[in-house]
Each structure stands twice: as C-alpha cells, then as structure tokens.
Amino acid sequence: MASPRAPVSRRGILIGALAGGGLAVGYLLRPRRFPLPLEPGRDEYAFGAWIKIAADGVVSVAVPQVEMGQGVTTLLPQIVAHELGADWRQVAVEPAPVSALYVNTVLAAKWAPLWFPVMPGLAEAPDGFLAQRWAQDHRFNATADGTSLAAYEAPARAAAASARAVLVRAAAARWGVAPEECEVANGLVIHGDAIHGDRRLNFGPLAAEAAAFSPPDPPPLRAEPMAEKPGEFPPGAPLRYPRLDMPSKVDGSWMFAGDVRLPDMLRAAIRHAPIGKASLSRLDENAGKDLPGFLRFVRGPDWVAALARDWWTAETALTRAAPRFRVARGSDSGEVDEALEQAMTMGSPTRVHLTGEAGAVEGALPVQIRYEVAPAVHATIETASATARYANGRLELWIGTQAPGAARAAAAEAIGIAAGDVVLYPMAIGGSFDRRLECAHAGQVAVLAREAGRPVQLTLSRRQEHFATFPRAPVVAVMAARPDAEGRPTAWRARIAAPATAREFGRRMFSGLAPFDALDAVAAVADPMAVEGAVPAYAVPDLAVDHIPAAIGLPTGRMRGNAHGYTAFFNESFVDELAHRAGREPLSYRMAMLGHDPRLAECLQRAASLAQWGGGGDNSGQGIACHVIGEGRIALVASARRDENGVRVDRLSAVADIGRIVNHDVARQQIEGGLVFGLGLALGCSPGYAGGRPDGERLSDLSLPTLADCPAIEVQFIESDADPADPGELGTAVVAPAVANALYSATGLRFRRLPLFAEDM
C-alpha cells in the first residue's frame, strides 16, 4: 500500500488496499466465469444457476441460504414460481452448493467493517464491485441479518423470467406462432386463437428444447413482484403457498446434520475446555478399553473426543476418562461485571453517532438512568453435529452452517488441506439464532475423520453445546436526557459499555483467529455494530451515541437480534421512564415524537387498538414499545404480571410494517417466533461463568418459557409497497422493553436489568 504520507487518490487507495498496488486493475476488470453449480440429473435441464426443469415438469429451485426455520426454502422458490408461472405443486427445493454464483453481496457490504476494517466505506455498497469481488473470491453466501430476500430475490426473479422466456420460445416454435402470443400460468405455456382454440404444453416436454435457446438480456420480468396482501388472509384463510419444508418436517423425513448415515461410520463425543486459554492436562487413556465398540481418544488443542461405533459408548468413555484441562485464563462473571463497570466509569467513549450540537449532549444531563444486560446463550434445540469423510487428500463435510465458506476454511485449515479440497454438503438446521455462524465443530470433525481413516459423525451433548457457545455480549448503558417544559427530550445521550463483539466475531470468521486472540485484538476498538439500534426512532434535536469498548475477558458472539436485542430495551425503557416522569401517557408521548415516521406511528396506533390499550396506568399491567430494524418497523403491547411463580406474560399484541410481504404465513410465523425467543431472553437464557464454565448445563437451567408459559399472541401487518424487510428479528428486539414497561404498570417497580428476574421485586 502507498505510504500514508504520499498524496494518493481515492482510487489509488482502493487499488493499493486490494492488491498492494500490483495488478489491481486486472483484478478489478478481468471477466469472470464460474462453473455451473447445478448438476442436472437424468431427464433434467438446467436453466442457469437457479432452476432445473425435469421431463415430468418438476421445477427444482436452488436455495443458497440454509433453512433454519425462517422459511427460506419456501420464500425463494415462491418468488421463482411466481415469476416463472409454475404450478406450486410441482416445485421442489435443492440446497445450493458453495459457489461464487450465489454470493450474498448485501451481507458482504453490511459486514465490510469486519473483513475490510481499514476503509470499510469503500465496500459498503451492495451493488459495488469491491463487495461483489470479495464475496466471489471467498464464496461468501452466509445466512444472517435477514438478508436473504435483499440478496437473492433479484437474481432468482431474473433466472425465472429468463427460463419463462425460453420456454415460451420453445412452445411458440412448435406451434408456429409468435412468442408474444403466448402466456405462462400454472405450469403451462398457453396459446389461444380463434382457429386452433387453446393449446397448452407442460414445462416438462418443452424443457430440452428451451434449454438450447440463449436467455434474453435483459430478462423480461413481470410487472409486479411476488406479494401477498395482509387483508387477503383473515384467520382461517387457505394458504396459496404452503411451506415446502413442512410435510417432511412433520413426518420426520427432513434431513438434518445428525441424520446423515454413511457406510462404516463412527460416532464421536467431545469434551471442550472451559472458555479461556486452556489445554488438556489429564486423561485416563485406558478408561474405555473394556467398552464394546470403543476405538480411541483423539486430542485437540483445547478439546478431546472419543470415537466409538455408537455415540453413547463414546460419551461413556469420555465420562470414565475424566478429562481435565489446565486453564490459564478462564472467564468469570464477577470479572466481567467489574470490567464493564470500569469501562463505564473510567473508559474512553467513542462517539459513533451525532445528530445536532455536540455541546448540547455533554456533561451531566438532568435525567440519567442505568440499564444492564447479562450474557445470554442461544439455547438451540438441535446441538451442533457434523459428519466428515476424508480420503485421498479430499474431505467431504455434511454440516448445518450459516457460513459454509467459513466452515470449509475451518475444516481445511484443521487438517492442512486447501479449501478447494473440501466438498461441503449443506444441511438444514433445527434453529440456529446465529449460533451456527461459528464453525469450530467443522475443524474438529475433520481432524477426527483424518485420524480415524473412516467417516465420523460428531454430535455435541447439551452440556458441551453450552460449553462451546460464545454468548451474546453483556452490556451496561447509561441513558441521559434533557427534557423540555413538556417533558420531551431535547437532548439525548446513550453511553454504552460493551465489548467490541462484532469486530471480535469478524476476527474469528474472516481472519481465523482463536477466540482469545480475536478478543485481545479488538479489546480497545470502538465497534458501531455493537451498539446498532441505539439511535432511537424518535425525533430528538440533539442526540449522541457513545460506545465504550470493554475488555471483559469473555469471548462473545452473534445472536438473533444482536445489538438490537439490548438497544431496544435501553431506548424503550428509557422513553417510558421519561413519559412517566413527565406525567404523560406513554403512547401519546411517543406519538408526539414520530411525525417524521408515519409508518412507525401507524404501527403504534394499530397495536394499541389491537390490544385495547388502556393507557398503561392504574395497574393495568400493559406496556408498550416499538423499534426499527432497517426498513422494518414493529410496535408491541404486552400484558404482564408478577405472581408467586415469577413473571407471567398473558398477551402480546404486535403490529409490524415489513414492506412488501412475499409470504404472509411465513412472515407471521417469524414475528411470533421472534416474540417467543425475545421472551426467553427477557426472562432467562443467562448463565453465570466461573473459571470459564457456564453454570447452566441443560435447557431447564436457563428459565426458558415453556409452552404453558407462552402468552396469547396476536400479529397484524400493515400493507405496504416498501421494499421487503426481514421480520425474523423485530419481535426478538421489542419484547423485553414492552414486558418491563408492563411490569412497571402492574407493580410500580422498574426492572432495568436483563433478564428481568435477575432483580428483586
């Protein structure tokens, strides 16, 4: 790169950063061709990278995002079916292999600060060449941050429109008519005139001829994209596009990573060291010798595994072997709390956002309130599992992962081969919540397969799942405001002490650093992504958000909702406290500051009407909150109470504006699921740590809501023509403040720490 003192242009800086000044222009401008990732089977024909059509008319759609309950294996095929004119009953799904043709440039641009931290602004345009080239070079098609539609709707539509055009050309050639005289609907190409009447051909007989035509450029897109209007789906209305994954999930035939079976396959159980810099210090190597089916132990840098013919034998062998680890630097909850406190009182804040005058938000503002959030774990139902087969220098890997490129890289590095020598078969995940962005088990199973010389399936126990999990970051915030004569804030400052959790994750994923090396590398670095969502939705003349990096000694990771899961709690709890201090009704207080955002204001009004909002006073037990994530908006009214059994949430009434809705049923499921997940974070999911060991070893230790605890949930959507927004994280973010505000209404006591039961009444 050019010397910092040299006068260089913006383009010069970019070229130097990309290629050290050498051959950068060639890198940027050279044409790119990638092999077709879809392999047509017998009597199948590929139409680009997205669609295959079989002779029997079945349309297979490639889905490059992992299905983990969010419905992506329905949404993308639905978009293709609409654009193509296919019959939904003939649409199938095929998980897409890792390929540069399926890169997620939207996520690559959003995560530019993580992989291009020197000058991320140069790579933050999703349609820019830098993000696209980087994503292609790294085969980056991660599933995260609700970017599936934003990244893949356009190319899927274009592929379907092109396929529709060549199918029409094939049919028109058979009939001797102009293609413009034909239409496509319900899996048929149709031509009608007064002489011949209606002529119809299924896609199947046309597929071979159509595949020989060159696709049109540009593709002839339909006038309107796929959309379902909320008003068209009253309760009980039939679904137009039922989920494609639902029947197989109901009958048990849907394949997860733990369902893989290979000839001569061994099973592996594992023990992880406590979170910290640790190494194996003791292991009874003879402990499993008398167990039928036991083979051997395999040691890793901070783990040990047992190989056997069945998992229970492997787990029993490890229990008998009683491995012990020497921990040089173990994580401890008390030390975490002290580090956050020291950062808040003594740390140097970095201003990551400023609106208005800086001087107006400095000093001791009249209202200052502290909020705290403890670490939280994902509590996935399905524990980590992966299967590997290593032979002749190549590794086959069956794994459920949100980051297939990173999983390939981790497996390759673990056994010293090139990433191109790893064949990854993407498997569905039974809930991830960003847990499967971490890929340590890919490297572990690769080592086990190499050492065994046979296929190996590694499955983590529930206890080991918790041991291996990096929790959502703990956070402390001091919210400050200067209200005017009517109680509305004219100045607002959020000062948030938190580890640089996003940058830490980025160092693990993109630089391959070990957890504590990544933690140390960013310990003093400001991280705007760690405080994402801290800018409130309200119009405040002078507003600042400060991040204070905190070196807490505990590696942290991403989780559903990410920073929004706590910044929404800070903002909506604080604005509710400001309203009550001013003697104002919480709904009208919020509405007065939303003149610039009529979409969010409508969500609030509709949610209040849906819940029969009574003003949040007089011990009603009702609390209200709203939040914005990207272009998505949500308002929620919670009805809650505290009884002898703890917190009881009776009802959640939500109204969301997520723009154009592709599938109404999937969107509703995502809001509902996010609300329940957020309720779990509000009431539990928070282990303590001692010497790097979490004190929760089972799901029952995490105070998760059971089915009996789940409230009545009502969800409505506002009809909108805005671009689609992801509904999966909105519900997660808004629950905690709504419940906390409801508890204040019911009891008169404020809960300022998550999880809420961490405070005494």
Side-chain angles (χ1 to χ4, degrees):
M1 184 178 291
S3 166
R5 297 180 181 179
V8 294
S9 67
R10 178 183 177 94
R11 179 175 177 81
I13 292 172
L14 176 59
I15 290 174
L18 286 174
L23 301 180
V25 174
Y27 167 81
L28 295 175
L29 299 181
R30 73 176 185 264
R32 294 219 149 169
R33 296 183 182 277
F34 303 103
L36 191 68
L38 288 183
E39 290 289 340
R42 183 178 180 181
D43 295 328
E44 277 189 331
Y45 302 90
F47 292 80
W50 289 88
I51 300 169
K52 294 190 299 185
I53 300 178
D56 60 2
V58 172
V59 178
S60 297
V61 180
V63 175
Q65 299 276 273
V66 63
E67 175 62 65
M68 48 188 180
Q70 84 279 35
V72 71
T73 50
T74 295
L75 294 175
L76 291 180
Q78 180 179 346
I79 289 165
V80 167
H82 169 78
E83 190 66 48
L84 181 62
D87 187 326
W88 188 240
R89 295 169 296 180
Q90 292 183 283
V91 175
V93 178
E94 181 170 324
V98 178
S99 168
L101 294 174
Y102 301 122
V103 294
N104 188 339
T105 55
V106 173
L107 187 61
K110 184 174 182 179
W111 283 4
L114 306 184
W115 57 265
F116 197 48
V118 177
M119 303 184 70
L122 298 179
E124 289 179 340
D127 55 352
F129 61 85
L130 182 53
Q132 183 177 19
R133 281 297 171 99
W134 178 88
Q136 289 174 345
D137 285 347
H138 293 82
R139 307 297 191 263
F140 182 74
N141 65 325
T143 306
D145 277 6
T147 54
S148 294
L149 284 179
Y152 296 109
E153 181 179 30
R157 282 191 71 194
S162 296
R164 171 167 45 83
V166 294
L167 286 167
V168 165
R169 286 182 63 186
R174 282 197 183 190
W175 294 327
V177 300
E180 293 78 10
E181 298 176 17
C182 302
E183 60 178 324
V184 182
N186 299 319
L188 301 169
V189 182
I190 304 168
H191 175 264
D193 59 26
I195 298 175
H196 301 96
D198 278 349
R199 291 184 286 189
R200 300 166 179 253
L201 279 173
N202 184 279
F203 291 171
L206 296 170
E209 300 161 45
F213 287 109
S214 297
D217 187 17
L221 298 174
R222 295 187 186 273
E224 297 294 333
M226 179 65 227
E228 292 188 343
K229 305 295 185 182
E232 299 172 345
F233 294 91
L239 303 178
R240 295 174 188 164
Y241 294 90
R243 289 184 63 145
L244 293 179
D245 58 337
M246 196 58 65
S248 57
K249 286 182 176 177
V250 171
D251 67 22
S253 60
W254 185 265
M255 293 289 289
F256 297 94
D259 296 321
V260 173
R261 297 292 182 267
L262 300 177
D264 203 29
M265 186 176 77
L266 299 176
R267 307 306 208 280
I270 196 168
R271 292 289 187 274
H272 293 96
I275 297 177
K277 290 190 173 181
S279 59
L280 185 66
S281 61
R282 191 182 77 185
L283 180 74
D284 183 357
E285 296 278 4
N286 298 316
K289 287 187 175 180
D290 61 341
L291 290 173
F294 171 76
L295 273 76
R296 57 173 294 201
F297 294 108
V298 178
R299 298 170 179 244
D302 56 359
W303 54 269
V304 61
L307 295 173
R309 292 191 179 91
D310 63 88
W311 184 87
W312 186 251
T313 298
E315 177 70 10
T316 302
L318 278 175
T319 301
R320 291 186 179 183
R324 294 292 183 268
F325 294 89
R326 181 181 296 107
V327 182
R329 182 179 170 187
S331 302
D332 185 85
S333 292
E335 294 174 357
V336 168
D337 292 342
E338 290 177 8
L340 288 171
E341 182 63 27
Q342 183 175 6
M344 180 57 72
T345 56
M346 305 293 292
S348 299
T350 297
R351 184 141 293 168
V352 297
H353 177 86
L354 176 65
T355 300
E357 298 293 330
V361 294
E362 298 302 332
L365 299 183
V367 181
Q368 298 195 46
I369 302 175
R370 178 186 173 111
Y371 300 92
E372 300 178 4
V373 174
V377 294
H378 308 76
T380 58
I381 297 298
E382 178 191 13
T383 62
S385 183
T387 303
R389 178 165 55 195
Y390 180 72
N392 302 319
R394 292 179 63 83
L395 181 79
E396 294 176 280
L397 182 63
W398 290 259
I399 190 170
T401 175
Q402 292 179 247
R408 288 177 77 207
E413 182 179 0
I415 58 175
I417 63 175
D421 290 326
V422 178
V423 179
L424 187 146
Y425 303 102
M427 307 299 296
I429 306 174
S432 173
F433 321 122
D434 280 1
R435 169 71 179 95
R436 303 298 172 228
L437 284 168
E438 306 287 348
C439 303
H441 61 303
Q444 292 164 349
V445 77
V447 170
L448 294 172
R450 182 193 62 186
E451 294 299 308
R454 295 162 58 178
V456 174
Q457 182 174 92
L458 170 66
T459 302
L460 272 62
S461 67
R462 171 58 54 190
R463 183 171 187 260
Q464 291 304 307
E465 175 73 19
H466 287 180
F467 259 64
T469 294
F470 298 139
R472 187 183 69 180
V475 187
V476 171
V478 173
M479 310 294 292
R482 178 179 293 109
D484 61 16
E486 296 182 353
R488 289 195 297 267
T490 60
W492 173 302
R493 183 183 66 228
R495 185 159 290 177
I496 302 173
T501 181
R503 292 187 181 274
E504 177 192 337
F505 160 78
R507 292 300 182 97
R508 291 197 300 269
M509 170 168 279
F510 301 117
S511 300
L513 295 186
F516 271 81
D517 293 336
L519 188 150
D520 291 339
V522 300
V525 179
D527 186 357
M529 293 176 70
V531 295
E532 194 174 21
V535 178
Y538 307 106
V540 180
D542 302 304
L543 188 149
V545 175
D546 297 338
H547 176 223
I548 309 172
I552 64 172
L554 173 68
T556 58
R558 296 179 63 81
M559 178 182 282
R560 186 177 188 176
N562 291 295
H564 293 276
Y566 45 81
T567 55
F569 175 64
F570 301 152
N571 288 344
E572 287 302 293
S573 297
F574 187 51
V575 80
D576 213 68
E577 296 208 47
L578 291 176
H580 284 283
R581 281 171 177 260
R584 300 284 301 278
E585 186 270 321
L587 173 61
S588 61
Y589 184 82
R590 288 170 166 83
M591 293 292 294
M593 297 186 288
L594 286 175
H596 65 292
D597 194 340
R599 293 173 64 192
L600 184 58
E602 185 176 358
C603 288
L604 273 168
Q605 289 177 319
R606 290 267 298 271
S609 175
L610 181 64
Q612 298 180 332
W613 170 254
D618 299 327
N619 299 318
S620 67
Q622 285 187 317
I624 197 166
C626 60
H627 193 60
V628 176
I629 300 179
E631 290 302 312
R633 289 155 172 79
I634 191 169
L636 175 69
V637 175
S639 297
R641 55 191 166 88
R642 183 73 181 262
D643 59 22
E644 65 277 3
N645 296 317
V647 174
R648 174 71 64 180
V649 180
D650 296 316
R651 186 181 183 190
L652 296 173
S653 302
V655 174
D657 182 341
I658 59 170
R660 172 171 55 86
I661 299 173
V662 173
N663 187 300
H664 182 271
D665 188 53
V666 169
R668 178 184 54 78
Q669 292 170 12
Q670 284 298 288
I671 295 290
E672 290 176 347
L675 292 172
V676 175
F677 188 85
L679 187 61
L681 291 175
L683 304 180
C685 290
S686 182
Y689 291 88
R693 298 175 182 272
D695 58 16
E697 298 183 0
R698 298 173 297 178
L699 291 177
S700 59
D701 296 328
L702 297 178
S703 300
L704 298 172
T706 65
L707 186 60
D709 298 322
C710 289
I713 297 177
E714 303 169 288
V715 177
Q716 291 185 1
F717 293 98
I718 292 175
E719 187 171 321
S720 174
D721 294 326
D723 290 338
D726 178 66
E729 298 187 339
L730 285 169
T732 298
V734 80
V735 169
V739 172
N741 294 337
L743 287 173
Y744 174 76
S745 171
T747 67
L749 298 171
R750 279 289 173 188
F751 291 81
R752 300 188 177 116
R753 179 178 173 86
L754 291 181
L756 297 175
F757 66 75
E759 295 181 272
D760 292 330
M761 289 290 290

